[in-house]
Amino acid sequence: MSDITDKVVAITGASSGIGEATALLLAGRGAKLVLGARRADRLEALAARITAAGGEAIYTVTDVRRRDDLASLVALACDRHGKLDVLVSNAGVGPISFFDDLCVDEWEEMIDVNLKGFLYGVAATLPVFRKQGFGHFVTVLSTAGLRIVPQQGVYAGTKNAVRTISEALRQEAGDKLRVTGVSPGFVHTDFAETIKDPGSKAAVIAKRDRIAIPPEAIARGIAFAIEQPANVDVGDIVIRPTAQD
């Protein structure tokens, strides 16, 4: 019996990339998935794929910029399964650019999605975890916050803000709740699609195609943290390509 079996796991940003890979892996290990993302068609297809393989998955369209959407995602889990074991906060955007480009709208989007979206998830989930007496926050961060480079200042800043908040949350959580941060390096996802500058976008895609690891590598790290005994809190996991600086 897997320690993941029958755990109810909600995932934001579940329609592609790391979120999708995590959903598939956890479903295969017996978890009950509650999927959230903005793209309804992708969510429906993923839930159908999991169900066809013998797993269990439900979904609701979730834009983490909307606090009510996070509340609805958590409520769906509790209404259907009577509990929520894990919230995987995976939704994120990274339209990287130089500061001189003054892409203020994109800065705000990263703050809204990466930072405020995470906080909305905490606000929706923490009361449930407290009432249950158990629960696990798993948040996808980034190695961009560990090695700061040009064009990634605001993106790294949002990820490091979440890193700091997560550590404070861990200290306040007590002995019943768990808090894990997972920092992926270069992963083969559609991250570059939000980059507007053609040259920057092409450079990121070229590097991705050269060294990136598959999203399944991050999913395995997330599963590792979740499957630990209730009294074991895996604080931080860094997963990057061996070829990454």
Side-chain angles (χ1 to χ4, degrees):
M1 179 73 71
S2 167
D3 288 329
I4 292 175
T5 300
D6 292 330
K7 284 195 173 183
V8 179
V9 182
I11 303 175
T12 66
S15 62
S16 64
I18 292 170
E20 179 182 31
T22 301
L24 291 169
L25 178 63
L26 296 181
R29 296 191 184 182
K32 299 175 180 179
L33 276 299
V34 184
L35 309 173
R38 288 183 286 182
R39 294 176 288 186
D41 56 335
R42 295 291 299 266
L43 285 174
E44 182 179 11
L46 178 58
R49 181 179 173 187
I50 290 171
T51 302
E56 187 169 349
I58 53 178
Y59 68 92
T60 182
V61 173
T62 305
D63 184 340
V64 299
R65 296 172 297 183
R66 298 171 56 88
R67 184 176 177 182
D68 288 348
D69 281 14
L70 269 303
S72 296
L73 180 71
V74 173
L76 178 62
C78 295
D79 291 346
R80 179 65 63 92
H81 300 295
K83 65 171 183 172
L84 176 62
D85 292 281
V86 185
L87 173 66
V88 179
S89 294
N90 168 70
V93 294
I96 62 175
S97 62
F98 291 108
F99 282 107
D100 284 318
D101 294 335
L102 298 179
C103 298
V104 178
D105 289 345
E106 294 177 358
W107 301 349
E108 291 179 340
E109 182 183 16
M110 285 185 277
I111 291 168
D112 289 343
V113 175
N114 300 348
L115 177 52
K116 292 172 67 176
F118 160 76
L119 287 170
Y120 290 159
V122 171
T125 308
L126 186 57
V128 173
F129 284 176
R130 291 296 193 198
K131 184 177 180 179
Q132 294 175 164
F134 60 87
H136 192 175
F137 292 99
V138 178
T139 305
V140 177
L141 302 170
S142 175
T143 57
L146 302 176
R147 182 175 182 269
I148 312 302
V149 299
Q151 293 187 280
Q152 297 185 16
V154 177
Y155 175 68
T158 60
K159 292 297 186 177
N160 275 347
V162 173
R163 194 186 311 277
T164 299
I165 295 166
S166 293
E167 173 57 17
L169 177 61
R170 183 194 68 80
Q171 294 183 31
E172 294 184 21
D175 63 350
K176 302 300 183 184
L177 308 186
R178 302 193 291 170
V179 180
T180 299
V182 180
S183 294
F186 231 120
V187 181
H188 205 290
T189 68
D190 57 2
F191 176 88
E193 295 307 311
T194 60
I195 302 173
K196 292 183 178 179
D197 178 71
S200 297
K201 182 175 182 178
V204 169
I205 291 174
K207 187 171 183 180
R208 179 197 68 187
D209 292 346
R210 188 171 70 254
I211 72 167
I213 55 179
E216 289 77 14
I218 313 305
R220 290 192 294 271
I222 292 171
F224 170 79
I226 293 173
E227 70 187 0
Q228 299 306 308
N231 65 338
V232 176
D233 194 2
V234 178
D236 293 287
I237 303 175
V238 178
I239 307 171
R240 58 164 68 92
T242 55
Q244 185 171 336
D245 295 339

